[in-house]
Amino acid sequence: MSLVELIARADTRGLAASGLACLDRCVPLLDGDDEALRPLWATLADASGDASGPDWAEALAQVRDKLAGPGATGEGEAVVLARRMLAAAPAECSGPVLRTWADACSVASLRIHRLLAPAAGAAPAADVPRDAGTEGLPPLVAAELRRQAAVLELLAGHGAAGVRPALEVSTEGRRVLRAVVSRRARGRG
């Protein structure tokens, strides 16, 4: 199933986890630590609820405060895209706004990975195709596409029990992107 189809079929928790995982993997661009989004992940792991309750809104406000302001690791489109993902996160996770956010986060995260891919050179203007395989994509971008699909599949197959493995997938991606950002910073300095 393509990434576009997985997003179209995802439930509320799956959509929230999908958008959150994309943002989580891009936290290094916002100078956030590995625990920056932990409060939001905790609301999704609650088996009794979903992301539409007040806990999500409170956690989102805390995260925005923590990641606000200057100090982003770099300038340019990648950082702007990461900031937009955070700014667009809905305080009430339900309905079409959640699907729109998850879809936009998917596109933005793939674009960020394309911009930062060492082998990609100048990033093409077109978005990364999300309805095909990974053939022809730079390794960093292909891995991000696979991670996005894995998160959605974990939540679709396991509900609340899929949150922890989805977080593990996201953590791996965050470490990879942090290394890429660090290498690029050393190359400029």
Side-chain angles (χ1 to χ4, degrees):
M1 197 177 310
S2 76
L3 184 56
V4 172
E5 292 170 322
L6 288 168
I7 291 172
R9 293 180 181 197
D11 64 7
T12 299
R13 190 186 317 264
L15 291 169
S18 176
L20 182 56
C22 289
L23 179 59
D24 195 358
R25 288 188 294 277
C26 296
V27 159
L29 293 168
L30 303 176
D31 280 344
D33 63 36
D34 289 348
E35 300 296 315
L37 300 179
R38 187 67 66 168
L40 291 170
W41 282 108
T43 65
L44 293 180
D46 181 6
S48 64
D50 60 31
S52 62
D55 291 344
W56 172 271
E58 289 172 22
L60 180 59
Q62 291 172 7
V63 166
R64 283 184 174 145
D65 286 345
K66 188 173 187 177
L67 296 176
T73 301
E75 296 178 13
E77 187 179 354
V79 173
V80 169
L81 289 167
R83 289 214 177 278
R84 283 184 190 156
M85 277 193 275
L86 178 59
E92 196 167 314
C93 283
S94 61
V97 69
L98 182 58
R99 191 169 307 281
T100 300
W101 179 64
D103 193 57
C105 286
S106 171
V107 171
S109 185
L110 287 166
R111 179 77 180 149
I112 287 167
H113 283 75
R114 168 87 80 169
L115 288 165
L116 298 177
D127 287 331
V128 174
R130 298 180 305 146
D131 55 357
T134 59
E135 190 173 327
L137 294 175
L140 187 67
V141 179
E144 172 60 9
L145 191 65
R146 285 190 296 272
R147 283 186 190 100
Q148 287 188 25
V151 165
L152 286 160
E153 289 166 351
L154 284 165
L155 273 288
H158 304 288
V163 172
R164 181 169 294 283
L167 175 58
E168 291 169 5
V169 168
S170 189
T171 298
E172 173 195 359
R174 184 180 348 101
R175 287 183 184 137
V176 169
L177 195 67
R178 191 174 300 284
V180 169
V181 168
S182 177
R183 253 192 315 273
R184 289 174 64 95
R186 282 193 309 270
R188 280 180 274 175

